[in-house]
Amino acid sequence: MKPKVIIRYLLSTCLLIVLFPAIGLWIPRKWDDDSQASCQYRVCVAKFGYHSNIFVPVRNAIFDWRDYLTIDNANENARSDYHYLAFGWGERAWYINPPVQLGRKILYGLRALLLPNASVIRVQRYRNLPRHEEIKCVGVSQTNYLKLMQFIEQSFQRDACGKIIRVADKPQWNATFYEAQGTYSLLNNSNHWTARGLRIANLNTPLWAGHATAIMHLLESHCYP
């Protein structure tokens, strides 16, 4: 094969590798909206920079996260008045101790994207839904809400006794980190996890959910926070 042909083939291949995910960010997996008009069972998604989190109530008429998690801050003695939980799945080292220096950010970022890495679930406690972040809320059916709760619950890794494994507490963030199922990589990042949960709840997601912006673009918010 001639060198020019090889170079043309390599360039075309690289272009497709870059182009397909970029296009997939904006193509919905389905063209109909199955979200419910009722906001009785509400699911919210917030964009925090590159990442996305799923927000749900601590409890409602059909599900109570206090049966699975210790909701109170580890340093608090009395039960607090947290009303919402934000669930985020991410790369263990970056999520628990985000690098501050630019060099470390680049190094940690490349490692997180190019290698399969251990994952954690961050559970962040809120008294009210955040107003300073981009957030959209949609209503789902009771069945789909419970399916999403089961998906989140099954994302936690458990020990031999069936208990979820706490990794770290960050009181300054009102957050607790737990061992998670799965490994983090470019093809399986925090936004892919969010999108899988939303699809299980019968909500529309991008064909390739690599960035939080694409997930937010396709959500039709009708249950305002």
Side-chain angles (χ1 to χ4, degrees):
M1 188 178 293
K2 296 181 179 179
K4 288 185 178 180
V5 175
I6 295 175
I7 293 173
R8 191 181 300 120
Y9 173 78
L10 292 175
L11 289 175
S12 300
T13 302
C14 292
L15 180 62
L16 289 176
I17 290 173
V18 173
L19 191 60
F20 277 2
I23 294 174
L25 285 170
W26 308 110
I27 297 178
R29 285 183 173 266
K30 55 184 181 179
W31 297 98
D32 57 325
D33 184 6
D34 290 331
S35 59
Q36 306 295 311
S38 170
C39 296
Q40 181 179 5
Y41 303 109
R42 183 173 63 166
V43 174
C44 300
V45 180
K47 176 179 176 290
F48 295 87
Y50 174 79
H51 302 282
S52 56
N53 283 182
I54 297 175
F55 278 76
V56 295
V58 171
R59 61 171 176 165
N60 56 23
I62 58 173
F63 195 91
D64 191 338
W65 275 107
R66 296 176 304 176
D67 295 336
Y68 301 89
L69 301 171
T70 301
I71 302 303
D72 296 331
N73 190 304
N75 295 329
E76 294 174 340
N77 295 320
R79 178 174 290 275
S80 57
D81 58 346
Y82 297 117
H83 299 299
Y84 294 94
L85 297 177
F87 293 92
W89 182 95
E91 199 270 339
R92 178 174 178 148
W94 184 289
Y95 236 25
I96 296 177
N97 294 303
V100 177
Q101 298 177 345
L102 179 60
R104 285 184 175 272
K105 284 184 177 181
I106 294 173
L107 179 62
Y108 280 39
L110 289 174
R111 185 185 67 183
L113 291 176
L114 301 179
L115 298 174
N117 299 282
S119 61
V120 292
I121 291 179
R122 182 180 65 189
V123 182
Q124 200 160 1
R125 302 172 291 274
Y126 288 83
R127 289 181 172 85
N128 300 290
L129 290 173
R131 298 287 182 176
H132 62 285
E133 300 291 346
E134 183 180 353
I135 187 167
K136 290 186 176 181
C137 298
V138 297
V140 297
S141 69
Q142 175 177 321
T143 298
N144 288 331
Y145 185 88
L146 289 175
K147 285 181 179 178
L148 176 58
M149 298 305 100
Q150 184 181 43
F151 165 79
I152 296 174
E153 182 195 348
Q154 291 177 347
S155 296
F156 289 89
Q157 192 176 141
R158 297 177 181 271
D159 62 19
C161 298
K163 295 181 179 180
I164 60 176
I165 306 167
R166 181 182 296 213
V167 177
D169 286 296
K170 295 288 183 178
Q172 68 273 28
W173 300 340
N174 288 332
T176 303
F177 293 82
Y178 301 88
E179 294 281 9
Q181 300 283 356
T183 54
Y184 185 100
S185 69
L186 175 63
L187 300 179
N188 187 37
N189 65 21
S190 57
N191 300 308
H192 291 109
W193 179 85
T194 298
R196 285 197 297 273
L198 297 179
R199 285 199 298 273
I200 285 174
N202 210 21
L203 295 170
N204 208 354
T205 61
L207 191 62
W208 191 77
H211 199 286
T213 299
I215 293 175
M216 302 300 290
H217 174 72
L218 291 178
L219 280 179
E220 296 292 335
S221 182
H222 61 265
C223 299
Y224 297 100

